[in-house]
Amino acid sequence: MKHEGAAGGLHGFLAAGLRLVRTTAFRLALLYLAMFVLSVGLILGVVYRTTAGFLEQEIGETIALEVAGLQDHYRIHGLPGLVDVVRARSAVPNNNSIYLLATSAGVILAGNLSGWPAAVPNASGWTHFKVADYGGVTNRPSTAQAVTFTLPGQFRLLVGRDMSEIDQLRTRMFRSLGWILGSTALLGLGGGLLMSRGAMRRIEAINRTTRQIMSGDLSDRVPRFGGGDEMDRLAGNLNAMLDRIERLMTGMRQVTDSVAHDLRTPLTRLRSRIELALLHETEDPEVYRTVLQDTIAEADRLLATFSALLSIAEAESGAKRQDFVPVELAEVVELAADLYEPVADERDQRLSVDVRGKPTVRGNGQLLAQAVSNLLDNAIKYTPEGGAISLVLEGPAPGRAACISVADSGPGIPADMRDKVLQRFVRLDTARASPGNGLGLSLVDAVATLHGARLELDDNAPGLRVSLIFPPEARR
């Protein structure tokens, strides 16, 4: 059992590690790590080339000057003088200089090497060889850089420098480069793992929330860690989307309940009329005509309710936003006023229209006209006879592109009920005696949301003032 537990733990650890390696955060961390290691390597390479190259250049220039001096000395003092100088310089203690003077047959005349190097010089006469192979001054297994040339009389002269210091520098720099790159890789890998774990923890929280929502719990939300980074912004957007979905689902349930409740009565009336007409046989056609007319009127009210529900759903879906075109609000307002002015006259109401500009917004003209018509219809319906109704269109102002307001002198809506009346099928007790289905303001609110506008309900003292305020970006 212990072996099985250990095997299971190892399998879980490997699975978690595999998931970690497959994360985008870990891959990005590896990419940044590779770029950083490459950058560090390039920088150290440049430093090495600059430092070692400078030293090698200095040594080359020094050897060239010394060769020139020995050539002049040979030209002035001859072979004996050159032999004395080479012996004197070779005998200097702790000297990194390398000298060798030999005949064409290889007989050594002076110098601190035991034999002529077998390395072949390049086209410029420079050669590289191991100092210890030829009994250098320190017997160190380092290399030497030297220049060889032939003097008059077929004598060969070699002048060079022991490169042990540069070899040590090169070794240290390569060792340092290895340590630096290794440390960078380990730190980057560790940082990548930590970043991946943090990202995985936050993404797992999102996955856990989505699983809860898929199981039916729409109240769960993605946790925010308070850092204000892109993950927190993503969580905020997801939570806003979930809030919107929850509101829509709640609204759908309310609509379903309201439809079932509000349509039960008219459907019952409809069925009762038809049953009564069938039970009471009569030869008078006017009786049947009256029953059929009442049935048609009831069916029209039902169709109007479903039409309003479809319009609200269409506006809330946002599908009409793709068909937005420039709409002149003055034409919308004047058309609605012309349509409802006779209705207001029949009720002895004063309908005043004040167009203070001709603003144009991007939107759906049909839905905007329906929203204004609904506002006028409500104002006329709830304003007593002899009352006043005003329809005002205002142009651009700071913070808005346009404003359409409808004010009446009716009973108004209490402040604590103004948000509630925007819901579907909600009607105040004072309005139940009036015809309607409680969807008028719901449609206006949906149209306002579709156009990015703000719907405000205020006290008109007396009555109600409803304002549809379009934002500045609505003009684009």
Side-chain angles (χ1 to χ4, degrees):
M1 295 296 291
K2 291 183 178 180
H3 292 293
E4 292 180 359
L10 179 60
H11 179 72
F13 178 78
L14 292 177
L18 186 59
R19 288 197 304 270
L20 193 65
V21 170
R22 289 178 176 176
T23 60
T24 302
F26 185 79
R27 294 175 181 175
L28 286 176
L30 286 182
L31 177 62
Y32 292 144
L33 171 62
M35 294 176 61
F36 186 69
V37 169
L38 181 61
S39 301
V40 172
L42 288 175
I43 293 173
L44 291 177
V46 170
V47 171
Y48 166 74
R49 293 294 300 174
T50 302
T51 305
F54 175 75
L55 292 176
E56 291 178 358
Q57 182 180 359
E58 287 290 319
I59 291 174
E61 292 177 355
T62 303
I63 292 175
L65 291 175
E66 192 168 7
V67 166
L70 291 174
Q71 286 177 331
D72 292 339
H73 194 84
Y74 176 74
R75 189 168 49 252
I76 298 172
H77 301 283
L79 181 61
L82 181 59
V83 171
D84 293 339
V85 171
V86 171
R87 286 176 178 173
R89 294 184 180 183
S90 300
V92 176
N94 298 324
N95 185 11
N96 287 334
S97 298
I98 297 174
Y99 304 95
L100 186 60
L101 179 61
T103 65
S104 58
V107 178
I108 297 176
L109 302 177
N112 50 13
L113 291 180
S114 60
W116 194 268
V120 179
N122 58 23
S124 301
W126 290 92
T127 182
H128 298 269
F129 57 91
K130 290 184 178 181
V131 177
D133 293 345
Y134 302 97
V137 291
T138 57
N139 291 326
R140 287 175 298 196
S142 60
T143 60
Q145 178 176 329
V147 64
T148 62
F149 58 94
T150 304
L151 297 170
Q154 298 301 312
F155 294 103
R156 294 188 297 172
L157 179 62
L158 180 146
V159 180
R161 287 291 185 274
D162 189 346
M163 304 294 287
S164 59
E165 293 181 356
I166 295 181
D167 289 340
Q168 292 177 3
L169 174 64
R170 183 183 295 109
T171 301
R172 290 175 181 175
M173 292 193 70
F174 276 124
R175 186 179 296 117
S176 300
L177 176 63
W179 278 107
I180 291 173
L181 293 180
S183 302
T184 303
L186 288 176
L187 290 175
L189 187 62
L193 292 173
L194 290 177
M195 289 175 56
S196 300
R197 287 192 61 185
M200 282 187 61
R201 185 171 62 252
R202 301 175 73 172
I203 293 175
E204 184 58 31
I206 297 176
N207 290 332
R208 187 166 52 251
T209 302
T210 55
R211 286 193 294 268
Q212 287 291 110
I213 293 172
M214 286 189 295
S215 66
D217 184 10
L218 294 178
S219 63
D220 201 4
R221 293 296 179 267
V222 178
R224 302 182 68 172
F225 292 84
D229 57 3
E230 62 277 2
M231 294 295 289
D232 273 351
R233 291 194 296 271
L234 174 62
N237 292 333
L238 289 175
N239 288 337
M241 180 187 68
L242 293 174
D243 291 339
R244 175 68 172 165
I245 292 175
E246 185 179 18
R247 286 195 299 269
L248 290 176
M249 295 298 294
T250 303
M252 185 179 298
R253 285 194 294 268
Q254 292 175 351
V255 167
T256 304
D257 295 341
S258 299
V259 168
H261 181 270
D262 288 14
L263 296 186
R264 182 185 303 167
T265 301
L267 288 175
T268 303
R269 277 199 308 267
L270 195 65
R271 188 175 187 278
S272 298
R273 287 195 188 99
I274 297 174
E275 283 185 343
L276 288 175
L278 292 175
L279 291 175
H280 296 83
E281 296 182 359
T282 178
E283 295 181 357
D284 187 1
E286 290 299 323
V287 174
Y288 292 107
R289 183 183 302 274
T290 302
V291 171
L292 290 176
Q293 288 177 345
D294 292 341
T295 301
I296 291 174
E298 198 71 52
D300 288 340
R301 283 193 290 270
L302 291 174
L303 290 175
T305 298
F306 283 110
S307 178
L309 286 173
L310 289 175
S311 297
I312 293 173
E314 186 179 38
E316 289 181 341
S317 68
K320 289 292 186 179
R321 191 175 288 114
Q322 299 178 354
D323 302 329
F324 276 9
V325 296
V327 178
E328 293 187 3
L329 294 181
E331 295 182 0
V332 175
V333 168
E334 291 170 355
L335 181 63
D338 293 340
L339 181 64
Y340 280 90
E341 190 173 7
V343 181
D345 290 339
E346 288 181 2
R347 296 175 58 89
D348 194 23
Q349 296 170 341
R350 298 186 306 277
L351 174 59
S352 61
V353 182
D354 186 5
V355 178
R356 302 176 185 176
K358 293 187 176 182
T360 300
V361 299
R362 290 189 60 81
N364 184 285
Q366 181 180 358
L367 290 177
L368 289 174
Q370 190 170 2
V372 177
S373 298
N374 281 13
L375 293 178
L376 284 177
D377 184 74
N378 280 349
I380 292 173
K381 188 186 302 180
Y382 299 115
T383 298
E385 294 185 2
I389 301 168
S390 65
L391 173 60
V392 179
L393 171 63
E394 298 176 280
R400 76 180 189 203
C403 176
I404 300 175
S405 59
V406 177
D408 60 57
S409 57
I413 299 177
D416 58 341
M417 294 293 294
R418 289 172 187 168
D419 289 335
K420 191 173 183 180
V421 295
L422 299 180
Q423 301 176 8
R424 298 178 180 88
F425 296 107
V426 174
R427 305 186 70 190
L428 300 179
D429 293 336
T430 56
R432 295 199 176 274
S434 303
N437 48 28
L439 295 174
L441 287 178
S442 299
L443 176 59
V444 176
D445 183 51
V447 173
T449 302
L450 175 66
H451 290 79
R454 189 171 71 254
L455 186 65
E456 294 184 353
L457 280 65
D458 301 306
D459 191 1
N460 195 42
L464 178 69
R465 178 183 299 274
V466 183
S467 300
L468 191 60
I469 304 172
F470 295 88
E473 54 267 20
R475 290 180 291 182
R476 300 173 184 171

